[in-house]
Amino acid sequence: MKIKAAVLHAMGKERPYNISNPLLIEEVELKKPQASEVLVKIRAAGLCHSDLSVIDGNRPRQVPMVLGHEAAGEVVELGPGVKGLAVGDHVVFSFVPVCGHCKHCTIARPALCENGVAANNKGLLLSGESRLENQQHQEIFHHMGVSGFAEYAVVSRQSIVAIDKTLPYDIAALFGCAVMTGVGAVINTAKIRLGETALVTGLGGVGFSALLGALAAGASKVIVADVNKEKLQKALELGAHVAIDTTEENALEKLRDLTDGGVDVGLEFAGVVPALEFTYNATARGGRTVTAGLPHPSKTMQLAPVKLVAEERTLQGSYIGSCIPSRDIPAYIALYQSGRLPVNKLLTHKLRLDEINEGFERLAKGEAIRQILTFDASSADAVSSRMNSDVLQASL
Ligand SMILES: NC(=O)c1ccc[n+]([C@@H]2O[C@H](COP(=O)([O-])OP(=O)(O)OC[C@H]3O[C@@H](n4cnc5c(N)ncnc54)[C@H](O)[C@@H]3O)[C@@H](O)[C@H]2O)c1
Ligand SMILES: [Zn+2]
Ligand SMILES: [Zn+2]
């Protein structure tokens, strides 16, 4: 079938993206779902910094590629042998397909799934194939097994989780990356304990999710750090206890004074090395640092092993929040529905597919938390979305 999709042909185009248009909205061919694959109509997709990192070349991938890895949609067609799903089901995508039988999957660490990560690195589905091609029948790559910036996607069964049909799609999409990564980093990776103090550095969709996760998990004090004053202010409104601008002189000393020597748990979601160093140095003796940020592969950090050892610190990476998507996505949705994880507050802008380059320029400037593309909006809906976007923008 022919679908409209946002295709990246070259990384590293100059900014502003609303002028250079790194993503082209094109008609592409989407092939039918094969064994263990599903055709999904995309209803909402979020703009994450990991998409931006492919656009700006910080996270190099194969091109041409249809980007987008945080999305929600409706099942339209099942390929042969698909179990546990029906046409009409609502689903959230997970950006690492889970093979279920590699050595990591069998010990319940699907974030490390060998087959899923290998397929993602090749820009292919778990089957080892692409279902996307251009008008000249040349292959187009999938982004993280999802490629959600499109009207439809064919994905592996293991890339989707069925969700409660009453949840609006624009909220549902957030759970696929921002919420799973941010909340999961707090709960699964850092395993925060009731009453511990936490620092969340980097207030994008992922960091804000971590803030809400730390509050829901019973952290006694959550400190937020960013370079953007509006985001720090918004974090205070959402329940953060202290906000710190990392560019201010003595930011680290200020944090240490407020926490009797440092936080128990430092969490980094900025994706730049200085933010990770700040977070690590802000932890107390015995502190745990968890990082989910993804700087360019060439970047390295300074670390004195003696401090790590003699102060019994830990530094741990967190990918997809160390989640088991089929377990954690429904659990985090249930927390949202009970009012304890108000992730709807992260949705700052709604866009149409043809506004995607504007959206990425806004993300690069730090003027958005989560922007969501919605599809099939009638013209009346489109007007109301745009108004909503203006109102939300004003609130940021
Ligand atoms: N590990 C995973 O599974 C996973 C999943 C999703 C995203 N990510 C990565 O997490 C990071 C965050 O993603 P996002 O979509 O929330 O990004 P974002 O761009 O929306 O937010 C990043 C925030 O970091 C802040 N920041 C930049 N430099 C800083 C500094 N020196 N000190 C403090 N704050 C600083 C920015 O102002 C911004 O608010 C990215 O690196 C992304 O690639 C990782
Ligand atoms: Zn993401
Ligand atoms: Zn596996």
Side-chain angles (χ1 to χ4, degrees):
M1 66 194 281
K2 292 205 184 323
I3 62 162
K4 261 203 277 174
V7 186
L8 180 75
H9 290 274
M11 291 174 286
K13 274 203 168 182
E14 75 285 6
R15 289 178 55 196
Y17 296 132
N18 50 322
I19 306 291
S20 62
N21 292 324
L23 297 172
L24 298 179
I25 311 303
E26 293 176 353
E27 199 169 75
V28 302
E29 185 67 29
L30 183 65
K31 293 183 229 167
K32 278 181 82 63
Q34 299 300 309
S36 306
E37 293 176 353
V38 181
L39 172 66
V40 182
K41 181 169 175 48
I42 306 287
R43 303 297 295 265
L47 276 58
C48 171
H49 202 111
S50 298
D51 300 299
L52 180 58
S53 295
V54 183
I55 294 171
D56 67 19
N58 267 314
R59 208 154 158 69
R61 298 272 167 189
Q62 300 83 348
V63 288
M65 179 175 271
V66 175
L67 291 184
H69 61 280
E70 175 183 278
E74 182 181 348
V75 173
V76 174
E77 188 184 332
L78 302 176
V82 172
K83 301 216 168 51
L85 265 189
V87 169
D89 279 353
H90 296 196
V91 294
V92 166
F93 295 79
S94 166
F95 61 90
V96 178
V98 178
C99 84
H101 53 76
C102 73
K103 69 178 179 191
H104 299 294
C105 283
T106 50
I107 57 162
R109 296 192 70 183
L112 305 179
C113 173
E114 288 188 353
N115 298 309
V117 170
N120 282 357
N121 287 344
K122 290 184 197 142
L124 300 172
L125 300 183
L126 203 51
S127 59
E129 291 171 14
S130 168
R131 304 279 168 247
L132 287 162
E133 62 182 33
N134 67 13
Q135 305 293 356
Q136 291 75 43
H137 302 295
Q138 288 158 334
E139 190 172 64
I140 298 178
F141 294 98
H142 294 261
H143 188 217
M144 318 291 283
V146 179
S147 291
F149 298 155
E151 293 173 312
Y152 291 84
V154 167
V155 298
S156 306
R157 165 70 182 94
Q158 293 96 322
S159 292
I160 47 180
V161 173
I163 56 157
D164 181 348
K165 283 189 180 174
T166 64
L167 186 69
Y169 285 113
D170 51 1
I171 305 297
L174 300 168
F175 287 84
C177 179
V179 180
M180 190 159 58
T181 305
V183 178
V186 172
I187 307 296
N188 297 324
T189 321
K191 296 188 174 61
I192 201 160
R193 290 187 290 271
L194 191 69
E196 285 191 312
T197 55
L199 165 68
V200 173
T201 307
L203 293 169
V206 184
F208 266 103
S209 296
L211 161 66
L212 298 177
L215 293 171
S220 60
K221 189 185 267 186
V222 185
I223 298 173
V224 287
D226 203 290
V227 293
N228 178 312
K229 293 234 180 315
E230 285 80 24
K231 289 188 176 182
L232 289 170
Q233 182 54 38
K234 176 145 181 161
L236 290 172
E237 287 160 19
L238 292 185
H241 301 96
V242 181
I244 292 188
D245 181 341
T246 55
T247 60
E248 271 174 22
E249 225 183 304
N250 303 330
L252 205 52
E253 288 70 25
K254 183 175 161 193
L255 182 142
R256 289 187 174 284
D257 289 347
L258 288 165
T259 52
D260 192 21
V263 291
D264 299 313
V265 179
L267 300 135
E268 185 275 322
F269 308 100
V272 292
V273 173
L276 176 55
E277 288 173 339
F278 179 87
T279 308
Y280 178 73
N281 290 321
T283 55
R285 298 174 76 241
R288 317 195 291 287
T289 302
V290 166
T291 174
L294 291 164
H296 188 276
S298 65
K299 301 284 179 197
T300 56
M301 78 179 282
Q302 292 279 343
L303 185 106
V306 70
K307 190 164 158 176
L308 188 73
V309 173
E311 300 186 7
E312 286 208 338
R313 292 158 183 278
T314 61
L315 171 60
Q316 191 175 354
S318 179
Y319 199 55
I320 63 166
S322 314
C323 283
I324 297 175
S326 57
R327 175 195 71 184
D328 293 329
I329 289 176
Y332 299 163
I333 288 175
L335 262 182
Y336 164 71
Q337 289 172 324
S338 68
R340 292 170 60 204
L341 200 65
V343 296
N344 55 314
K345 305 264 174 68
L346 313 188
L347 206 175
T348 53
H349 302 76
K350 284 195 192 177
L351 316 173
R352 296 185 314 258
L353 185 60
D354 61 6
E355 294 171 316
I356 194 164
N357 290 299
E358 251 173 271
F360 276 111
E361 180 56 28
R362 197 178 287 119
L363 181 62
K365 281 201 239 158
E367 290 174 354
I369 301 176
R370 253 342 185 228
Q371 308 177 79
I372 297 285
L373 297 177
T374 53
F375 294 81
D376 275 353
S378 68
S379 47
D381 284 348
V383 171
S384 74
S385 308
R386 294 181 65 75
M387 286 171 59
N388 192 17
S389 137
D390 293 342
V391 171
L392 289 162
Q393 199 167 6
S395 81
L396 181 64

